Amino acid sequence: MKHPIFVLLLVLFSISAFAQKSNKSSENRIIETDFTDCQAIITIIKNFYIGDHTGSIKHKKLSMHENGAYRYVNKEGKYKESEFRLDSDNADPNYKEELLSIEIYDKISFARLRLDQFHTKIPEYKLMILHKVDNQWKITSIYWGYGIKQ
């Protein structure tokens, strides 16, 4: 299953060059773009949504850190927090996700997503924090809110 937004995102990264390396020995810095981390993060996010839509424990474990947590404000306006349950086969096929942006800062990354819920016209926005742990990217926190307007 191809996601055109992910392809578009890769093109945008080539223009923006979020993940950059510089040659500091030269007065005129040479910027090199490294897409390895960007592609790894996109793969992690894809695995997360496969796990979330299908209940695949395998995909959840591939994408989420075992000590990670959801953090959000519920519909009643109360702050809630719950640890990731990587062994849960719960599935939620009632929305479609769209990756809006990824920012990478060495071993931490921030991803913004929009979720179009099938049962409501108001989109949700989800923010994911990923960390590079033992040379692998994992989602460590997921934040979202209901009725957020962009």
Side-chain angles (χ1 to χ4, degrees), residues 90-108:
N90 288 347
D92 185 359
N94 298 314
Y95 67 91
K96 181 179 178 184
E97 68 281 349
E98 177 185 6
L99 181 60
L100 300 174
S101 67
I102 296 174
E103 296 178 40
I104 301 169
Y105 304 97
D106 193 31
K107 305 273 187 250
I108 187 170

Side-chain angles (χ1 to χ4, degrees), residues 16-54:
S16 301
F18 282 115
Q20 300 176 352
K21 294 181 182 178
S22 65
N23 180 352
K24 296 181 182 179
S25 64
S26 171
E27 186 166 325
N28 294 328
R29 290 185 175 176
I30 299 170
I31 305 290
E32 298 174 13
T33 303
D34 181 358
F35 293 107
T36 307
D37 284 329
C38 178
Q39 187 57 53
I41 290 166
I42 290 170
T43 300
I44 290 297
I45 293 170
K46 283 181 181 180
N47 281 328
F48 171 80
Y49 282 109
I50 290 170
D52 203 40
H53 289 309
T54 67

Side-chain angles (χ1 to χ4, degrees), residues 52-92:
D52 203 40
H53 289 309
T54 67
S56 167
I57 293 171
K58 174 186 172 188
H59 287 89
K60 290 178 181 185
K61 287 182 177 182
L62 284 171
S63 60
M64 302 163 78
H65 192 277
E66 60 193 22
N67 296 323
Y70 293 101
R71 294 170 172 87
Y72 59 99
V73 174
N74 68 14
K75 292 179 182 179
E76 291 78 39
K78 304 287 184 196
Y79 175 80
K80 298 289 182 176
E81 195 170 296
S82 64
E83 291 182 8
F84 292 157
R85 293 180 33 212
L86 302 182
D87 55 356
S88 169
D89 62 357
N90 288 347
D92 185 359

